[in-house]
Amino acid sequence: MGSLIETKVLKGFRDFLPETELARRTLIARVEATFRLYGFVPIDTPALEYAAILLGKSGGETEKQIYRFTDNGGRDVALRFDLTVPLARFFAEHRAELSLPFKRYHIAKVWRGENTQRGRYREFTQCDFDIVGDAHPAADFEILLLMHDVINATGAGTATIRINHRGFFNRFLTRHVKPESIPEILHIVDKAAKITRNELATQLETVAGQDSTEMILRFIETKGTFEETLERLAELSGGHSPESLWLKQIQQLMLETGTESFFVLDPSITRGLDYYTGIVFESFLDSAPSIGSVCSGGRYDNLVSLYSKDPVSGVGASLGLDRLMAALEDKPGQGSATVAIVYEHQEDLARAEKTAKNLRSAGISCELFWEVLKLNRQYILAEKKGIRFVLR
């Protein structure tokens, strides 16, 4: 007999035991039900794509993290690193079959070769939701409302949703730094919540210089009400503009629907990916801010044009299922079944099976144990499995 193969899992990848996988499936079901309430429909795309498609406009940082290789057919391929770029390819390929606006959700695994930490892995599940083909502030507002509702549906607690408009920062930077340095500055500011102010200033100085760094740090400060911040950003970026009008319309929708308390206008939110062109947003759990943003996204009006001659607007967000699971890990889980049916003698098995059949027909999940055990051992087993009720 040959030597045994050592069992081990790659760093950043995981197995899921039944208790954890049940919790994941429950969470996904809640998320999916919320998407359906807003009229979003599901799609799926291949895990593996041509590298040229995935890297069309992803930015240098993503290219370092992507799992890319040459397959047996000599093709340059890569595992998808998010679900937004595959959506753009999907839409360009199937546009004639879709009605606009196209409201889709996609729940699937993605892969990034990045540093691992709590709630951040190299293989993880994203829950994306997007509106394609509607360039209106109301589409942005619907995504924001759905972000709030889907986080609430997971049971993870309240979250602060921070929003900004990339146009403000771009206008401001165009007045103070060299155009070629803007993408790198956006990537640095995107890390503002993860590093100290001194670290942020040091990194900015290497790209923008000391004087410009001071102005950038003042620009991205969060202070005042939504309206006060909006006026300050408009002034610093050269006066009122299409960006300020866009946010003003979204603010009006917030006020009219009584949802303004859910959102904060935060000029430090930039989102590092290059394909964002308009409003951007991130959300942080009030009970676990250290986990990072659990739902983020923005408007990407030029992304589909990478794959099609006709530009199509888009806006969407991605819910990080694994980060939410990390936030919920201390909350009590549930077993696979609601009811355990216990019995004392072998001749009672048929009765127990009939009871189980009736319960399942009524939509109640249940489990019974075929080995005849003492009742106290059956009770212990039911408790260990997380089953809430026992029927004898």
Side-chain angles (χ1 to χ4, degrees):
M1 180 178 178
S3 59
L4 293 175
I5 298 172
E6 181 185 358
T7 59
K8 55 184 178 180
V9 178
L10 288 166
K11 184 179 180 181
F13 293 72
R14 295 168 294 162
D15 290 326
F16 293 97
L17 291 171
E19 183 179 358
T20 304
E21 185 61 14
L22 281 168
R24 279 166 47 83
R25 299 290 180 97
T26 299
L27 206 59
I28 289 172
R30 293 174 182 172
V31 167
E32 191 166 12
T34 309
F35 291 158
R36 294 289 186 90
L37 287 175
Y38 279 74
F40 284 65
V41 292
I43 68 166
D44 197 10
T45 64
L48 199 64
E49 299 257 16
Y50 284 103
I53 289 176
L54 294 183
L55 293 171
K57 184 103 175 183
S58 59
E61 194 63 30
T62 299
E63 190 165 355
K64 297 175 186 176
Q65 297 175 349
I66 197 168
Y67 283 96
R68 182 179 184 179
F69 56 94
T70 301
D71 72 1
N72 291 340
R75 292 171 288 260
D76 183 14
V77 297
L79 288 169
R80 62 191 177 206
F81 63 88
D82 75 355
L83 299 177
T84 305
V85 174
L87 167 64
R89 193 270 308 154
F90 172 94
F91 184 83
E93 199 155 344
H94 299 282
R95 182 170 180 174
E97 306 162 60
L98 303 172
S99 300
L100 299 184
F102 178 52
K103 299 165 66 173
R104 84 81 159 98
Y105 69 88
H106 189 182
I107 302 174
K109 286 186 175 182
V110 298
W111 295 266
R112 295 180 192 172
E114 59 184 357
N115 293 329
T116 59
Q117 54 184 284
R118 185 184 180 217
R120 184 186 290 271
Y121 304 94
R122 291 174 178 170
E123 178 186 65
F124 55 98
T125 301
Q126 284 191 333
C127 307
D128 276 26
F129 46 105
D130 296 77
I131 301 174
V132 179
D134 196 331
H136 194 284
D140 294 0
F141 180 63
E142 178 158 305
I143 291 294
L144 288 169
L145 281 184
L146 183 47
M147 287 174 66
H148 172 269
D149 287 355
V150 78
I151 293 171
N152 188 59
T154 66
T158 58
T160 299
I161 300 175
R162 299 184 174 275
I163 72 173
N164 190 23
H165 197 299
R166 281 276 284 262
F168 276 134
F169 205 14
N170 287 335
R171 285 179 181 274
F172 171 80
L173 292 175
T174 300
R175 302 174 68 196
H176 298 288
V177 301
K178 296 177 180 179
E180 58 270 23
S181 66
I182 291 178
E184 183 62 24
I185 291 171
L186 290 171
H187 288 304
I188 293 171
V189 173
D190 185 48
K191 299 183 288 186
K194 307 169 189 173
I195 59 178
T196 66
R197 193 177 190 277
N198 287 339
E199 289 172 327
L200 179 63
T202 299
Q203 292 186 30
L204 285 172
E205 284 181 12
T206 63
V207 179
Q210 186 173 2
D211 292 341
S212 294
T213 293
E214 288 299 322
M215 288 188 288
I216 292 170
L217 291 175
R218 287 198 298 270
F219 183 88
I220 65 175
E221 286 178 345
T222 303
K223 57 182 180 181
T225 64
F226 192 112
E227 189 164 359
E228 290 169 345
T229 304
L230 182 56
E231 288 298 318
R232 183 173 68 86
L233 293 179
E235 181 182 349
L236 291 172
S237 59
H240 284 286
S241 61
E243 291 82 12
S244 61
L245 177 61
W246 191 277
L247 283 179
K248 195 72 176 175
Q249 292 181 70
I250 292 175
Q251 183 198 18
Q252 189 62 35
L253 290 170
M254 292 175 183
L255 292 170
E256 291 177 357
T257 55
T259 57
E260 67 274 15
S261 63
F262 301 161
F263 310 103
V264 174
L265 182 54
D266 182 348
S268 71
I269 302 298
T270 63
R271 304 293 298 141
L273 294 173
D274 295 339
Y275 54 65
Y276 290 117
T277 59
I279 188 173
V280 287
F281 26 75
E282 295 187 354
S283 54
F284 300 86
L285 294 176
D286 296 335
S287 61
S290 61
I291 286 179
S293 178
V294 295
C295 190
S296 56
R299 176 163 285 280
Y300 44 89
D301 285 342
N302 298 325
L303 183 60
V304 175
S305 64
L306 290 170
Y307 315 103
S308 171
K309 293 180 180 179
D310 301 320
V312 179
S313 61
V315 61
S318 178
L319 181 76
L321 191 74
D322 298 277
R323 289 193 183 186
L324 281 170
M325 289 293 295
L328 291 167
E329 64 184 6
D330 295 328
K331 296 181 180 292
Q334 291 187 347
S336 57
T338 303
V339 178
I341 301 171
V342 301
Y343 58 97
E344 293 186 80
H345 307 289
Q346 186 64 38
E347 56 265 29
D348 294 328
L349 175 58
R351 173 191 57 78
E353 291 281 12
K354 184 177 180 180
T355 301
K357 179 179 180 297
N358 291 336
L359 287 173
R360 290 166 185 152
S361 297
I364 300 171
S365 60
C366 58
E367 184 175 351
L368 52 85
F369 312 122
W370 296 293
E371 293 291 336
V372 179
L373 304 171
K374 291 183 179 180
L375 282 178
N376 67 324
R377 289 186 61 191
Q378 293 183 65
Y379 287 127
I380 291 170
L381 184 56
E383 184 177 5
K384 186 176 181 180
K385 283 176 167 280
I387 300 175
R388 298 176 63 190
F389 302 102
V390 174
L391 179 62
R392 180 180 173 186

Coordinates of all heavy atoms in Angstrom, one line a residue, residues 155-216:
G155 N -29.7 39.9 9.8 CA -29.7 39.9 11.2 C -28.3 40.3 11.8 O -28.1 40.1 13.0
A156 N -27.5 41.0 11.0 CA -26.2 41.4 11.4 C -26.2 42.7 12.2 O -25.2 43.1 12.8 CB -25.2 41.5 10.3
G157 N -27.4 43.3 12.3 CA -27.5 44.6 13.1 C -27.5 45.8 12.1 O -27.4 45.7 10.9
T158 N -27.5 47.0 12.7 CA -27.5 48.2 12.0 C -26.2 48.5 11.3 O -25.1 48.0 11.8 CB -27.9 49.4 12.9 OG1 -27.0 49.5 13.9 CG2 -29.3 49.2 13.5
A159 N -26.2 49.2 10.2 CA -25.0 49.6 9.5 C -25.1 51.0 9.1 O -26.2 51.6 8.8 CB -24.9 48.7 8.3
T160 N -23.9 51.6 9.0 CA -23.8 53.0 8.5 C -23.4 52.9 7.0 O -22.3 52.3 6.7 CB -22.8 53.8 9.3 OG1 -23.2 53.9 10.6 CG2 -22.7 55.2 8.7
I161 N -24.2 53.5 6.1 CA -23.9 53.4 4.7 C -23.3 54.8 4.3 O -23.9 55.8 4.4 CB -25.1 53.1 3.9 CG1 -25.7 51.7 4.3 CG2 -24.8 53.1 2.4 CD1 -27.0 51.4 3.6
R162 N -22.0 54.8 3.9 CA -21.3 56.0 3.5 C -21.2 56.1 2.0 O -20.8 55.2 1.3 CB -19.9 55.9 4.2 CG -19.9 55.9 5.7 CD -18.5 55.9 6.3 NE -18.6 55.9 7.8 CZ -18.8 57.1 8.5 NH1 -18.8 58.2 7.8 NH2 -18.9 57.0 9.8
I163 N -21.6 57.3 1.5 CA -21.6 57.5 0.1 C -20.8 58.7 -0.3 O -20.5 59.6 0.5 CB -23.1 57.7 -0.4 CG1 -23.7 59.0 0.0 CG2 -24.0 56.5 0.1 CD1 -25.0 59.3 -0.6
N164 N -20.4 58.8 -1.6 CA -19.7 59.9 -2.1 C -19.9 59.9 -3.6 O -20.5 58.9 -4.2 CB -18.2 59.8 -1.8 CG -17.4 61.0 -2.1 OD1 -18.0 62.1 -2.2 ND2 -16.1 60.9 -2.3
H165 N -19.4 60.8 -4.3 CA -19.4 60.9 -5.8 C -18.0 61.0 -6.3 O -17.3 62.0 -5.9 CB -20.3 62.0 -6.3 CG -20.7 61.9 -7.7 ND1 -19.8 61.9 -8.7 CD2 -21.9 61.8 -8.2 CE1 -20.5 61.7 -9.9 NE2 -21.8 61.7 -9.6
R166 N -17.5 60.1 -7.1 CA -16.2 60.1 -7.6 C -15.9 61.4 -8.4 O -14.7 61.9 -8.4 CB -15.9 58.9 -8.5 CG -15.6 57.6 -7.8 CD -14.2 57.5 -7.4 NE -13.3 57.2 -8.5 CZ -12.9 55.9 -8.8 NH1 -13.3 54.9 -8.0 NH2 -12.1 55.7 -9.8
G167 N -16.9 62.0 -9.0 CA -16.8 63.2 -9.8 C -16.2 64.4 -9.0 O -15.4 65.2 -9.5
F168 N -16.7 64.5 -7.7 CA -16.2 65.6 -6.8 C -14.7 65.5 -6.7 O -13.9 66.5 -6.9 CB -16.8 65.5 -5.5 CG -18.2 66.1 -5.4 CD1 -19.2 65.5 -4.7 CD2 -18.4 67.4 -5.9 CE1 -20.5 66.1 -4.6 CE2 -19.6 68.0 -5.8 CZ -20.7 67.3 -5.2
F169 N -14.2 64.3 -6.3 CA -12.8 64.1 -6.1 C -12.0 64.3 -7.3 O -10.9 64.9 -7.3 CB -12.6 62.7 -5.5 CG -11.3 62.6 -4.6 CD1 -10.6 63.8 -4.2 CD2 -10.8 61.4 -4.2 CE1 -9.5 63.7 -3.4 CE2 -9.7 61.3 -3.4 CZ -9.0 62.4 -3.0
N170 N -12.5 63.8 -8.5 CA -11.8 64.0 -9.7 C -11.7 65.4 -10.1 O -10.6 65.9 -10.6 CB -12.5 63.2 -10.8 CG -12.3 61.7 -10.7 OD1 -11.4 61.2 -10.1 ND2 -13.3 61.0 -11.2
R171 N -12.7 66.2 -9.9 CA -12.7 67.7 -10.2 C -11.7 68.4 -9.3 O -10.9 69.2 -9.7 CB -14.0 68.3 -10.0 CG -15.0 68.0 -11.1 CD -16.4 68.6 -10.8 NE -17.3 68.3 -11.9 CZ -17.5 69.0 -13.0 NH1 -16.7 70.1 -13.2 NH2 -18.4 68.7 -13.9
F172 N -11.7 68.0 -8.0 CA -10.8 68.6 -7.1 C -9.3 68.2 -7.4 O -8.4 69.1 -7.5 CB -11.1 68.1 -5.7 CG -10.1 68.5 -4.6 CD1 -10.1 69.7 -4.0 CD2 -9.1 67.6 -4.2 CE1 -9.2 70.1 -3.1 CE2 -8.2 67.9 -3.2 CZ -8.2 69.2 -2.7
L173 N -9.0 67.0 -7.7 CA -7.7 66.5 -8.0 C -7.2 67.1 -9.3 O -6.0 67.5 -9.4 CB -7.6 65.0 -8.1 CG -7.8 64.3 -6.7 CD1 -7.9 62.8 -7.0 CD2 -6.7 64.6 -5.7
T174 N -8.0 67.3 -10.3 CA -7.6 67.9 -11.5 C -7.1 69.3 -11.4 O -6.2 69.8 -12.1 CB -8.8 67.9 -12.5 OG1 -9.2 66.6 -12.7 CG2 -8.4 68.5 -13.9
R175 N -7.6 70.0 -10.3 CA -7.1 71.4 -10.1 C -5.8 71.4 -9.3 O -5.2 72.5 -9.3 CB -8.2 72.1 -9.3 CG -9.6 72.2 -10.0 CD -10.6 72.8 -9.0 NE -10.4 74.2 -8.8 CZ -10.9 74.9 -7.8 NH1 -11.7 74.3 -7.0 NH2 -10.7 76.2 -7.7
H176 N -5.4 70.3 -8.7 CA -4.3 70.4 -7.7 C -3.1 69.4 -8.0 O -2.1 69.6 -7.4 CB -4.8 70.2 -6.3 CG -5.8 71.2 -5.8 ND1 -5.4 72.5 -5.6 CD2 -7.1 71.2 -5.7 CE1 -6.5 73.2 -5.2 NE2 -7.5 72.4 -5.2
V177 N -3.4 68.4 -8.8 CA -2.3 67.4 -9.0 C -2.2 67.1 -10.5 O -3.1 67.4 -11.3 CB -2.5 66.1 -8.2 CG1 -2.6 66.4 -6.7 CG2 -3.8 65.4 -8.7
K178 N -1.1 66.4 -10.9 CA -1.0 65.9 -12.3 C -2.0 64.9 -12.6 O -2.2 64.0 -11.8 CB 0.5 65.4 -12.5 CG 1.5 66.5 -12.3 CD 2.9 65.9 -12.4 CE 4.0 66.9 -12.2 NZ 5.4 66.3 -12.3
P179 N -2.6 64.9 -13.8 CA -3.6 64.0 -14.1 C -3.2 62.5 -14.0 O -4.0 61.6 -13.6 CB -4.0 64.3 -15.6 CG -3.6 65.8 -15.7 CD -2.4 66.0 -14.8
E180 N -1.9 62.2 -14.4 CA -1.4 60.8 -14.4 C -1.3 60.3 -12.9 O -1.2 59.0 -12.7 CB -0.1 60.7 -15.1 CG 1.0 61.6 -14.5 CD 1.1 62.9 -15.1 OE1 0.1 63.4 -15.7 OE2 2.2 63.5 -15.0
S181 N -1.3 61.1 -11.9 CA -1.2 60.7 -10.5 C -2.6 60.4 -9.9 O -2.7 59.8 -8.8 CB -0.5 61.7 -9.7 OG -1.2 62.9 -9.6
I182 N -3.7 60.8 -10.6 CA -5.0 60.6 -10.0 C -5.4 59.2 -9.7 O -5.9 58.9 -8.5 CB -6.1 61.3 -10.9 CG1 -5.9 62.8 -10.8 CG2 -7.5 60.9 -10.4 CD1 -6.8 63.6 -11.7
P183 N -5.2 58.2 -10.6 CA -5.6 56.8 -10.2 C -4.9 56.3 -9.0 O -5.5 55.7 -8.1 CB -5.2 56.0 -11.5 CG -5.2 57.0 -12.6 CD -4.7 58.3 -12.0
E184 N -3.6 56.6 -8.8 CA -2.8 56.1 -7.7 C -3.3 56.8 -6.4 O -3.4 56.2 -5.3 CB -1.3 56.4 -7.8 CG -0.5 55.9 -6.7 CD -0.6 54.4 -6.5 OE1 -0.9 53.7 -7.5 OE2 -0.3 53.9 -5.4
I185 N -3.7 58.1 -6.5 CA -4.2 58.8 -5.3 C -5.6 58.2 -4.9 O -5.8 58.0 -3.7 CB -4.4 60.3 -5.6 CG1 -3.0 61.0 -5.8 CG2 -5.2 61.0 -4.5 CD1 -3.1 62.4 -6.3
L186 N -6.4 57.8 -5.9 CA -7.7 57.2 -5.5 C -7.4 55.9 -4.8 O -8.2 55.5 -3.9 CB -8.5 57.0 -6.8 CG -9.0 58.2 -7.5 CD1 -9.6 57.9 -8.8 CD2 -10.1 58.9 -6.6
H187 N -6.5 55.1 -5.3 CA -6.2 53.8 -4.6 C -5.7 54.0 -3.2 O -6.1 53.2 -2.3 CB -5.1 53.0 -5.4 CG -5.6 52.5 -6.7 ND1 -6.7 51.6 -6.8 CD2 -5.2 52.7 -8.0 CE1 -6.9 51.3 -8.1 NE2 -6.0 51.9 -8.8
I188 N -4.9 55.0 -3.0 CA -4.4 55.3 -1.6 C -5.5 55.7 -0.7 O -5.6 55.2 0.4 CB -3.2 56.4 -1.7 CG1 -2.0 55.8 -2.4 CG2 -2.8 56.8 -0.3 CD1 -1.0 56.8 -2.7
V189 N -6.3 56.7 -1.1 CA -7.4 57.2 -0.3 C -8.4 56.1 0.0 O -9.0 56.1 1.1 CB -8.1 58.4 -1.0 CG1 -9.3 58.8 -0.2 CG2 -7.1 59.6 -1.1
D190 N -8.6 55.1 -0.9 CA -9.5 54.0 -0.7 C -9.1 53.2 0.5 O -9.9 52.5 1.1 CB -9.5 53.1 -1.9 CG -10.5 52.0 -1.8 OD1 -11.6 52.3 -1.5 OD2 -10.1 50.8 -2.1
K191 N -7.8 53.3 1.0 CA -7.4 52.6 2.2 C -7.4 53.4 3.4 O -6.9 53.0 4.5 CB -5.9 52.1 1.9 CG -5.7 51.2 0.8 CD -4.3 50.7 0.6 CE -3.3 51.8 0.1 NZ -2.0 51.4 -0.1
A192 N -8.1 54.6 3.4 CA -8.1 55.5 4.5 C -8.6 54.9 5.8 O -8.2 55.2 6.9 CB -8.9 56.8 4.1
A193 N -9.7 54.1 5.7 CA -10.3 53.5 6.8 C -9.4 52.4 7.5 O -9.7 52.0 8.6 CB -11.7 52.9 6.5
K194 N -8.4 51.9 6.7 CA -7.6 50.8 7.2 C -6.3 51.2 7.8 O -5.6 50.3 8.4 CB -7.4 49.8 6.1 CG -8.7 49.3 5.4 CD -8.4 48.6 4.1 CE -9.7 48.3 3.3 NZ -9.4 47.7 2.0
I195 N -5.8 52.4 7.6 CA -4.5 52.8 8.0 C -4.6 54.1 8.8 O -5.7 54.8 8.8 CB -3.5 53.1 6.8 CG1 -4.1 54.1 5.8 CG2 -3.3 51.7 6.1 CD1 -3.2 54.4 4.7
T196 N -3.6 54.5 9.5 CA -3.6 55.8 10.3 C -3.5 57.0 9.4 O -3.1 56.9 8.2 CB -2.5 55.8 11.3 OG1 -1.2 55.9 10.6 CG2 -2.5 54.6 12.2
R197 N -3.8 58.1 10.0 CA -3.8 59.4 9.2 C -2.3 59.7 8.7 O -2.1 60.1 7.6 CB -4.3 60.6 10.0 CG -4.6 61.8 9.1 CD -5.2 62.9 10.0 NE -5.6 64.0 9.2 CZ -4.9 65.0 8.8 NH1 -3.6 65.0 9.0 NH2 -5.4 66.0 8.1
N198 N -1.4 59.4 9.6 CA 0.1 59.6 9.3 C 0.5 58.7 8.2 O 1.2 59.1 7.3 CB 0.9 59.4 10.5 CG 0.8 60.5 11.5 OD1 0.4 61.6 11.2 ND2 1.2 60.2 12.8
E199 N 0.1 57.4 8.2 CA 0.4 56.5 7.1 C -0.2 57.0 5.8 O 0.4 56.9 4.7 CB -0.1 55.1 7.4 CG 0.7 54.4 8.6 CD 0.1 53.1 9.0 OE1 -1.1 53.0 9.0 OE2 0.9 52.2 9.4
L200 N -1.4 57.4 5.9 CA -2.1 57.9 4.7 C -1.4 59.1 4.1 O -1.1 59.2 2.9 CB -3.6 58.3 5.0 CG -4.4 58.9 3.9 CD1 -4.6 57.8 2.8 CD2 -5.8 59.3 4.4
A201 N -1.0 60.1 5.0 CA -0.3 61.3 4.5 C 1.1 60.9 3.9 O 1.5 61.5 2.9 CB 0.0 62.2 5.7
T202 N 1.8 59.9 4.5 CA 3.1 59.5 3.9 C 2.9 58.9 2.5 O 3.7 59.3 1.6 CB 3.7 58.5 4.9 OG1 3.9 59.1 6.2 CG2 5.1 58.0 4.3
Q203 N 1.9 58.1 2.4 CA 1.7 57.5 1.1 C 1.3 58.5 0.0 O 1.7 58.5 -1.1 CB 0.7 56.4 1.2 CG 1.1 55.2 2.0 CD 0.2 54.0 1.9 OE1 -0.6 53.8 0.9 NE2 0.1 53.2 3.0
L204 N 0.5 59.5 0.4 CA 0.0 60.5 -0.5 C 1.2 61.4 -0.9 O 1.3 61.8 -2.1 CB -1.1 61.3 0.1 CG -2.5 60.7 0.2 CD1 -3.5 61.5 1.0 CD2 -3.1 60.5 -1.2
E205 N 2.0 61.7 0.0 CA 3.2 62.7 -0.3 C 4.1 62.1 -1.4 O 4.7 62.8 -2.2 CB 4.0 62.9 1.0 CG 3.3 63.9 1.9 CD 4.1 64.2 3.2 OE1 5.3 63.9 3.2 OE2 3.5 64.8 4.1
T206 N 4.2 60.8 -1.4 CA 5.1 60.2 -2.4 C 4.5 60.3 -3.8 O 5.3 60.3 -4.8 CB 5.3 58.7 -2.1 OG1 4.0 58.0 -2.2 CG2 5.9 58.4 -0.8
V207 N 3.2 60.6 -3.9 CA 2.6 60.7 -5.2 C 2.2 62.1 -5.5 O 2.4 62.6 -6.7 CB 1.3 59.8 -5.3 CG1 0.6 60.0 -6.6 CG2 1.6 58.4 -5.0
A208 N 1.7 62.9 -4.5 CA 1.1 64.2 -4.8 C 1.9 65.3 -4.2 O 1.7 66.5 -4.6 CB -0.3 64.3 -4.1
G209 N 2.9 65.1 -3.4 CA 3.7 66.2 -2.8 C 3.1 66.7 -1.5 O 1.9 66.4 -1.3
Q210 N 3.8 67.4 -0.7 CA 3.3 67.8 0.6 C 2.2 68.8 0.6 O 1.2 68.6 1.3 CB 4.5 68.4 1.4 CG 4.1 68.7 2.9 CD 5.3 69.2 3.7 OE1 6.4 69.3 3.2 NE2 5.1 69.5 5.0
D211 N 2.3 69.8 -0.3 CA 1.2 70.8 -0.3 C -0.1 70.2 -0.8 O -1.2 70.5 -0.2 CB 1.6 72.0 -1.2 CG 2.8 72.8 -0.7 OD1 3.0 72.7 0.5 OD2 3.4 73.5 -1.5
S212 N -0.1 69.4 -1.8 CA -1.3 68.8 -2.3 C -1.9 67.8 -1.3 O -3.1 67.6 -1.2 CB -1.0 68.1 -3.7 OG -0.7 69.1 -4.7
T213 N -1.0 67.1 -0.6 CA -1.4 66.1 0.4 C -2.2 66.8 1.5 O -3.3 66.3 1.9 CB -0.2 65.4 1.0 OG1 0.4 64.6 0.0 CG2 -0.6 64.5 2.2
E214 N -1.8 68.0 1.9 CA -2.6 68.7 3.0 C -4.0 69.1 2.5 O -5.0 68.9 3.2 CB -1.8 70.0 3.4 CG -0.6 69.7 4.2 CD -0.9 69.0 5.5 OE1 -1.9 69.3 6.1 OE2 -0.1 68.1 5.9
M215 N -4.1 69.5 1.2 CA -5.4 69.8 0.6 C -6.2 68.6 0.5 O -7.5 68.7 0.7 CB -5.2 70.5 -0.7 CG -4.6 71.9 -0.6 SD -4.6 72.8 -2.2 CE -3.3 72.0 -3.0
I216 N -5.6 67.5 0.1 CA -6.4 66.2 -0.1 C -7.0 65.8 1.3 O -8.1 65.4 1.4 CB -5.5 65.1 -0.7 CG1 -5.2 65.5 -2.2 CG2 -6.2 63.8 -0.6 CD1 -4.2 64.6 -2.8

